[in-house]
Amino acid sequence: VFSGTTKVEYSKNKKMYFYGHINMKAFLKRTAATFPNVKHVVIAGSSAGGFGASLNWGLAQQIFGDKVRVGDAKFQSTISSIC
């Protein structure tokens, strides 16, 4: 599992760009600016998305504060109780 931002050159003709962290940070900042008075923020995902949710909860909490809750697919029942 990779988290962050990097460029990898596998050969002279093949470069891969992994910009997940930059994209997530831009998304969260824009969302926070659009919805400044939210009561709860839920970061959730299933399968690989669960890893993304877990790895990005700290970033979400920096941007939104203590309103952030993190969960995976099993978290569905809890979501309805806090929203």
Side-chain angles (χ1 to χ4, degrees), residues 22-44:
I22 288 173
N23 291 337
M24 182 59 115
K25 190 172 186 178
F27 167 75
L28 291 171
K29 283 184 172 184
R30 180 66 185 125
T31 303
T34 302
F35 304 103
N37 298 315
V38 295
K39 292 182 182 180
H40 302 284
V41 175
V42 178
I43 307 295

Side-chain angles (χ1 to χ4, degrees), residues 38-57:
V38 295
K39 292 182 182 180
H40 302 284
V41 175
V42 178
I43 307 295
S46 65
S47 192
F51 282 106
S54 297
L55 293 170
N56 284 292
W57 78 268

Side-chain angles (χ1 to χ4, degrees), residues 2-8 15-27 56 59:
F2 172 78
S3 175
T5 300
T6 193
K7 176 179 79 171
V8 178
K15 294 179 186 174
M16 305 262 325
Y17 298 86
F18 302 92
Y19 287 170
H21 179 74
I22 288 173
N23 291 337
M24 182 59 115
K25 190 172 186 178
F27 167 75
N56 284 292
L59 177 62

Side-chain angles (χ1 to χ4, degrees), residues 51-79:
F51 282 106
S54 297
L55 293 170
N56 284 292
W57 78 268
L59 177 62
Q61 196 164 49
Q62 284 177 353
I63 293 169
F64 282 98
D66 63 357
K67 300 176 255 188
V68 176
R69 304 289 183 264
V70 180
D72 59 18
K74 296 175 185 175
F75 194 60
Q76 295 292 332
S77 62
T78 306
I79 291 173

